[in-house]
Amino acid sequence: MTRPVLFALLLASASLATSAGAQTRHNTNAPIDFAADTIELQDRANRAVLLGNVSVRQAEMSLSAARMTVNYTGQVVDGSPQVSRLDASGGVVVRRPDQTARSQFAVYDLNRRVITMIGGVSLTQGANTVNGGRLTINLDTGRAVIDGSSVRGGGSGGAGNTTTAPSGRVTGTFSVPKRN
């Protein structure tokens, strides 16, 4: 790789990291609004299963998926159960201001304020796109880290077996500002 190309790549990479870090802190204490075709409450297990066209919104962030399990602590504050974790699967999309992330599976840990996405991950910010096997978003700092980890699902053939990022590498495209 020639020196100017390497420099441009490093500059573009720093630009994406700086922009991601500049995200405002997400309000994890905001209420979580949801919609789905079907909801199954499993009170003894402290969870709810949302099925079909699931959409969740918390402050400026939205999450959509085909299926989601909402785990709660069993504690009730102001008449509402306290949600501790969301597990999403099937065409997961997380949107934040100036960022969109896509994957097959995601876990939003409300206690740690971290979203982990796996399976064909793509993160887009403006004209920049990064692809990999796993994405971790820290909602306190706005820092997003993608790695090329492979993911293998269980089962014996069929849809349960998923392999992503077989090369174990992160790929992407960074935009470069126009110069005179």
Side-chain angles (χ1 to χ4, degrees), residues 34-42 48-56 65-70 87-90:
F34 69 90
D37 292 342
T38 305
I39 183 170
E40 176 185 332
L41 297 173
Q42 300 173 353
V49 178
L50 289 72
L51 299 168
N53 300 308
V54 179
S55 63
V56 171
R67 174 188 171 99
M68 187 176 303
T69 302
V70 178
D87 293 272
S89 62

Side-chain angles (χ1 to χ4, degrees), residues 17-26 60 96-99 125 137-143:
T18 302
S19 297
Q23 287 280 338
T24 58
R25 180 182 171 137
H26 175 70
E60 79 287 348
R96 298 187 62 214
D98 195 35
Q99 281 183 344
Q125 184 172 1
I137 303 170
N138 182 315
L139 296 173
D140 283 341
T141 65
R143 182 175 183 212

Side-chain angles (χ1 to χ4, degrees), residues 22-158:
Q23 287 280 338
T24 58
R25 180 182 171 137
H26 175 70
N27 181 4
T28 55
N29 293 319
I32 297 173
D33 298 317
F34 69 90
D37 292 342
T38 305
I39 183 170
E40 176 185 332
L41 297 173
Q42 300 173 353
D43 280 336
R44 289 187 182 173
N46 288 334
R47 70 178 168 229
V49 178
L50 289 72
L51 299 168
N53 300 308
V54 179
S55 63
V56 171
R57 180 174 257 326
Q58 184 182 41
E60 79 287 348
M61 182 177 70
S62 67
L63 190 151
S64 61
R67 174 188 171 99
M68 187 176 303
T69 302
V70 178
N71 294 287
Y72 44 95
T73 64
Q75 297 174 334
V76 177
V77 175
D78 296 329
S80 299
Q82 298 303 292
V83 175
S84 59
R85 177 177 162 142
L86 303 174
D87 293 272
S89 62
V92 179
V93 178
V94 175
R95 286 190 172 84
R96 298 187 62 214
D98 195 35
Q99 281 183 344
T100 300
R102 299 176 189 282
S103 69
Q104 286 305 307
F105 307 96
V107 174
Y108 176 11
D109 184 332
L110 278 85
N111 297 324
R112 291 180 45 226
R113 294 176 293 284
V114 171
I115 296 176
T116 304
M117 302 178 76
I118 58 174
V121 173
S122 172
L123 175 63
T124 304
Q125 184 172 1
N128 302 318
T129 302
V130 181
N131 306 295
R134 178 177 54 197
L135 165 65
T136 304
I137 303 170
N138 182 315
L139 296 173
D140 283 341
T141 65
R143 182 175 183 212
V145 177
I146 293 185
D147 65 42
S149 298
S150 292
V151 177
R152 298 193 189 277
S156 55

